[in-house]
Amino acid sequence: MSAVAGLALATGAVTAAGPWDGGQRKAERDLAAAPARPGGARHADGERAPGSAPPVLAPVRGGGKRSADGLAEALEPLLKDSALGSDHAAAVVDATTGERLYGVGQSDAYTPASTVKLATAAAVLSVVGPERRIETTVVAAGGDGVVLVGGGDPTLTPAGLGDLADATARALKARGTTGKVKLAYDVSRYSGPVLHTIGLNDNIAPVSPLMVNEGRLGGTSQAEGSGGDPDRGPADRTAEPAADAARKFAALLRDKGVDVDGEPGEGRAEGKAARLASVASPPVSALVERMLTNSDNDIAEALARQTALASGKPASFEGAAQAVTERLAALGLPMSAVHIADGSGLDRADRASAEFLALVLARAAEPGRPALRPVLTGLPVAGFSGTLRDRYPRDAAGRALVRAKTGTLTGVNTLAGTVVTPGGRLLAFAFLASGTTDADAAQKALDRAASALAGAGSAPPGS
């Protein structure tokens, strides 16, 4: 029985299955997902959550020494490409059995860049589960006060905030509240510094449990695979995501006829405060998929903090890193070369081995771990979605056959994902390169190596 659900990877299957929904094919999501529970706020992404995931691939065939020798013959010339810089590592494993099929420097520590999001995804899914939703709530305070409480959903949309304001206005009317209302906002769910080590940056907002649309101020520069979408890619960010969200909420309440007294200020909800209204994020499965498809840093840091909260750790950079590390170790992954510093991979202090990343993917493919399946279904598809949308031209080798998480920092290029061989064998791979000087050339070299795994060894056009 195949170890993977929802992975119809042949080129014809990808083009025929359409249409795309949040980076994933609806047909694929339907096959891979159990029905999500109803409810929740309006959000940009779909509402389905993978539960137990039925297999849709033909049975994966075994390999053996002959197969491993063939991988070495195909990969070694490609990995010697000077575009991959001064140092590189690679690992390929059978995703069904976990058998190591190829490795060079596979146990060494490298800067993983955004491929560390695979680790964040596996950690949060293992401890929280795919069905959990993150709530933003409004509770009553003393007198006629109300408190907007951030739960950690960075994807809350203006429409979702409007739904929350509408429900709050109805609740206040039902309680007989007719006078002025004092609004406060509560961000106590998170602790520690709010700024990432890279500072205020168009790649990530200050990390707050209360924000709207990831703190984006409107307008976006087009990142790789973003398609110019204002909801993804680098963009100007507010320095005060929580205060801005509270001000927008106050304005929405006034539009609903609620007389809000002055500007909202930071406060704290009482432990037994009556809940007036709430909205919920898409399920964690959908958040994981969106994070991986678009390499979304804000979602990554939010999911790392959800891991911390579920593990009894402080929801800070440090607490999240500890919690993610513990969950990965509990999955039986090789941790000797791993150091988790953040959830997104923006921190250059992150370390991971190629073997570790390949085995994270293999864990997600295990039949006994259906909760981890979004790690696979969220991977960008070569030539079709997310950060691989523009990396494989129409007639490129590996197009639609490679599914992988990209990683890019100055001097660092990484790629980790899955391919299905012509014989039906599912492989998980990770390629890590440091000391690169030409990101475009390095990406093409990594893409050629991934294509070779799929049995399509010719180079992409224009490379």
Side-chain angles (χ1 to χ4, degrees), residues 251 377 411:
T377 58

XYZ file of all heavy atoms in Angstrom, residues 251 377 411:
16
model
N -13.259 50.720 14.514
C -13.972 51.379 13.420
C -15.126 50.509 12.910
O -16.219 51.013 12.603
C -13.011 51.690 12.285
N 1.276 17.477 1.117
C 0.316 18.116 0.219
C 0.545 19.616 0.100
O 0.060 20.246 -0.844
C -1.127 17.844 0.670
O -1.310 18.311 2.009
C -1.449 16.356 0.614
N 23.787 33.578 -0.251
C 24.833 32.568 -0.153
C 24.343 31.194 0.215
O 25.139 30.264 0.366
